[in-house]
Amino acid sequence: MPTSEARLRWPHRPPVFAPLLAGLYGLLPRLALLAASAGLIVFALGFAGDGWQWPDLADPLVSALRLPRVLSALLVGAALAAAGAALQALFRNPLADPGLIGTASGAALAVVAVMALGLVSIGLPTAAFIGALLSTWLLLGLSRLLGGGEISLLLLGLVLGSLAAAATGMLLFLSDDLTLRSAMSWLSGQLGSSTGAPLAWAAPFALAGIALLLAMGRELDCLLLGEDEARSLGVPVERVRLWTAIGAALAVGAAVSVAGIIGFIGMMVPNACALLLGGGRRRLIWVSSLAGALFLLLMDTLARGIAYPVNLPVGLLAGFIGPLCFFWLFRLRARRLA
Amino acid sequence: MNAAAIPAMPAFLLRQLGLQAGTRALLEGIDAQLPLGRFTAIVGPNGAGKSSLLKLLAGLQAPSQGQVLLHGLPLAAMPLAERARQLGWLGQFAAADLPLSLHDYVLLGLRPTLGSFGQASAPDLARVASALQQFDLLGAQQRRWGQLSGGERQRAGLARLLVQDAPLWLLDEPTNHLDLKHQALLFRRLRAEVAQGRTIVAVLHDLPQAARWADHVLLLGEGRLLAQGAPADCLSAAELSRAYQWPVRLWPDAAGHWQLAVGEVA
């Protein structure tokens, strides 16, 4: 019998799919343009009123700094949120997040290792993908081998993540290379850092990953019912697991190679979206990717302006908001048990 | 046409079927025929291997020995997608919580028809609505899975099977969590499905209900097939007592209802 103690509650509300989607589609391009054309204050004003204008692409500040940063925010946010929504179904756990279960740490370790070897450009997202895939696959294998339910999965992921983080720290410590020193700030989750992979190299990985996860939507919904149920519905379970892990690794690897580890986006965004439109992965993965892009763009614009002229890493900001969301999900569960 | 006059073809043919779990034999040397277009009940005490046998029939587990033939062909060789169109399986334990509404859940019954990517058409959605209505679930369709009662989840599972619309249903204790009214409605429903040509195999705990509603019975005990055939023939006091290792007697009363007497032994 399923034990209610070990179960975490999935957030859910009846669907308001169409209006939410229309809102996201309407907001995204406008906010992106605004963020590219202005700093925080103008951003806020421009969003409130109608006094905004197209970004001046001839301005080097816009074309060289802001626009790439805005595009990175969109890509990284979409990739992390889509991966989170898919991983939660893969592990049947609403708290699964690429940052919490070690996927991102595995990617970061691989990136640092490749940096230490002096390989860059395409090498970074490729290494990040391989690192993320290995850590996801290892976690999947270990959790099936050891069993023990959803909380122990998080613990296992935490342990794997810590292991990867320790190895990353060791690599950084042993290295006297300046590139690796500067990797520290990239690692804490920063958009627009010059250490990370160039956006153009990472984008194909992220987009391929998101597309793959979108394609797995219905299969993941079936997998949520349980392995036997999914198989009885004709779902090739092992293949779906592998493709989902590959898709999530592509997306998370690309995000990490660009912006380091930004935690909690993959947990917060899908769960918040599930509250609005129900947790079916077929819809949730792509609504989450839109909402994740929007969310990270807002967070990064905030991080950019909040301590001006200092550029706060957006990963730090996410690190403060994320745990609050985590507590909220735990409270949902506590309320049910009461 | 009188269905009873035609000898029932086997849907499933089991040949020397065995299942090992480590060194323990869960099932051993099962030779059986499950008739097509009939209601077969699998009965027996706890741990007799009923659910394991049902999983073997569904192809969810591979037998350690012997084979399962479906319509004369080895089940193991049947592609997964085709199996999902032929066999609907409803397990014993529904998930305690899912991030899905009842409607989303029943909708997944369309997976074998739609594949991974197909879009549900208007007739598909009408089928879902009709299945929800037939199992008295229309009012609850937007509720989240975690808020449903055990009985509602059980009925949701049956509605999902109805949407999946496979010609063979494999049900593991389908009366679990159902109250008396919904049990009676379920058995009537299953008989109606059989009358329309569906083949049903169900693991049942309740012997009088199995005897009353099933056409064919497999009696299991300790992983072996002790008897098979019409309920009146194979649920004799001797066989039942052997299976349950306890004095058990089952007989039809004057009104045709089956009565059960469980003896006391010193």
Side-chain angles (χ1 to χ4, degrees):
Chain A
M1 288 298 277
T3 52
S4 59
E5 291 78 25
R7 296 225 161 243
L8 295 164
R9 186 171 172 170
W10 295 91
H12 172 86
R13 284 280 154 74
V16 283
F17 189 50
L20 186 78
L21 212 58
L24 285 176
Y25 270 132
L27 270 178
L28 256 187
R30 177 162 181 183
L31 285 177
L33 286 174
L34 257 175
S37 64
L40 179 65
I41 295 176
V42 184
F43 182 85
L45 287 175
F47 184 59
D50 249 357
W52 68 288
Q53 48 186 282
W54 284 85
D56 179 8
L57 288 176
D59 183 347
L61 183 73
V62 171
S63 62
L65 288 177
R66 280 192 191 141
L67 199 60
R69 185 162 176 168
V70 162
L71 292 177
S72 304
L74 296 178
L75 192 77
V76 169
L80 289 177
L87 288 173
Q88 283 155 23
L90 182 65
F91 289 112
R92 302 178 71 192
N93 187 330
L95 294 178
D97 173 272
L100 281 181
I101 62 171
T103 312
S105 311
L109 173 60
V111 168
V112 169
V114 166
M115 276 179 178
L117 291 174
L119 299 169
V120 279
S121 67
I122 191 80
L124 292 184
T126 312
F129 160 61
I130 294 171
L133 184 62
L134 286 179
S135 61
T136 311
W137 204 243
L138 196 60
L139 179 59
L140 205 54
L142 278 178
S143 71
R144 293 180 69 198
L145 196 70
L146 303 176
E150 294 154 338
I151 304 290
S152 85
L153 172 91
L154 287 181
L155 288 177
L156 265 179
L158 206 67
V159 169
L160 280 181
S162 310
L163 203 62
T168 309
M170 189 63 96
L171 272 179
L172 291 177
F173 179 75
L174 290 178
S175 149
D176 47 18
D177 190 331
L178 262 180
T179 336
L180 288 194
R181 295 275 154 142
S182 67
M184 284 306 265
S185 80
W186 156 81
L187 204 56
S188 62
Q190 186 150 34
L191 290 162
S193 107
S194 53
T195 319
L199 190 61
W201 287 116
F205 284 80
L207 296 176
I210 294 173
L212 196 52
L213 295 178
L214 286 175
M216 290 295 116
R218 179 176 286 144
E219 312 296 60
L220 286 173
D221 279 340
C222 293
L223 204 54
L224 280 168
L225 307 188
E227 234 178 273
D228 284 335
E229 281 80 359
R231 218 167 262 136
S232 80
L233 288 167
V235 175
V237 171
E238 297 307 323
R239 214 182 311 158
V240 168
R241 283 214 174 101
L242 180 62
W243 283 118
T244 307
I246 289 176
L250 281 168
V252 173
V256 169
S257 73
V258 168
I261 298 180
I262 302 177
F264 295 107
I265 301 259
M267 183 194 65
M268 282 190 279
V269 173
N271 281 308
C273 290
L275 270 183
L276 293 169
L277 55 87
R281 302 294 126 166
R282 225 159 85 77
R283 284 173 306 209
L284 193 64
I285 289 174
W286 65 286
V287 174
S288 289
S289 68
L290 283 178
L294 181 69
F295 183 66
L296 194 58
L297 177 70
L298 290 175
M299 292 256 284
D300 186 53
T301 309
L302 195 64
R304 213 167 58 165
I306 201 169
Y308 185 84
V310 179
N311 226 331
L312 201 66
V314 69
L316 291 184
L317 204 57
F320 279 108
I321 303 178
L324 295 178
C325 177
F326 195 94
F327 288 137
W328 165 68
L329 282 173
F330 254 84
R331 203 175 67 101
L332 277 183
R333 172 187 165 230
R335 205 191 300 159
R336 189 176 74 144
L337 290 181
Chain B
M1 190 155 47
N2 184 2
I6 305 167
M9 292 281 299
F12 284 105
L13 197 60
L14 315 183
R15 280 198 192 138
Q16 280 302 305
L17 203 60
L19 183 66
Q20 297 286 131
T23 53
R24 205 162 74 91
L26 296 179
L27 291 168
E28 243 183 311
I30 306 240
D31 277 305
Q33 291 193 9
L34 281 66
L36 187 68
R38 300 290 156 83
F39 185 164
T40 301
I42 302 176
V43 297
N46 297 132
K50 306 186 293 291
S51 294
S52 301
L53 180 58
L54 202 72
K55 277 197 180 184
L56 290 181
L57 296 181
L60 297 173
Q61 252 179 325
S64 313
Q65 298 97 35
Q67 62 177 170
V68 177
L69 300 178
L70 174 59
H71 303 311
L73 299 170
L75 183 65
M78 184 181 277
L80 195 60
E82 177 58 21
R83 216 186 289 164
R85 283 188 287 270
Q86 292 292 328
L87 301 171
W89 176 79
L90 186 62
Q92 196 174 149
F93 301 112
D97 199 6
L98 293 171
L100 301 173
S101 66
L102 174 56
H103 184 267
D104 284 344
Y105 172 86
V106 175
L107 203 58
L108 291 180
L110 291 172
R111 164 64 181 77
T113 338
L114 298 178
S116 317
F117 309 115
Q119 287 290 330
S121 64
D124 288 337
L125 293 175
R127 231 167 74 210
V128 171
S130 139
L132 284 167
Q133 193 241 322
Q134 290 180 53
F135 283 99
D136 199 12
L137 291 167
L138 266 186
Q141 59 171 324
Q142 288 307 335
R143 297 230 317 268
R144 50 170 279 124
W145 187 258
Q147 292 170 337
L148 301 174
S149 69
E152 284 168 326
R153 285 179 201 162
Q154 192 69 30
R155 281 182 281 143
L158 292 159
R160 174 167 67 77
L161 274 193
L162 200 61
V163 169
Q164 185 178 351
D165 201 24
L168 283 105
W169 281 2
L170 305 168
L171 313 171
D172 201 347
E173 302 198 16
T175 52
N176 264 1
H177 303 294
L178 295 184
D179 58 31
L180 291 174
K181 168 189 157 189
H182 283 106
Q183 286 191 25
L185 286 175
L186 171 69
F187 280 116
R188 280 197 188 183
R189 174 77 212 203
L190 294 181
R191 284 310 325 178
E193 294 291 337
V194 170
Q196 285 168 33
R198 217 181 292 270
T199 305
I200 290 177
V201 181
V203 170
L204 294 175
H205 248 308
D206 190 318
L207 288 170
Q209 277 184 334
R212 177 171 174 196
W213 297 103
D215 303 306
H216 191 82
V217 175
L218 302 186
L219 176 64
L220 293 185
E222 293 188 322
R224 297 179 167 278
L225 183 64
L226 298 180
Q228 59 175 320
D233 302 335
C234 76
L235 295 180
S236 68
E239 294 289 6
L240 285 175
S241 304
R242 189 154 76 100
Y244 287 86
Q245 299 178 345
W246 198 262
V248 175
R249 197 163 71 88
L250 190 70
W251 73 97
D253 66 12
H257 294 298
W258 289 79
Q259 303 294 326
L260 183 72
V262 180
E264 295 293 331
V265 279

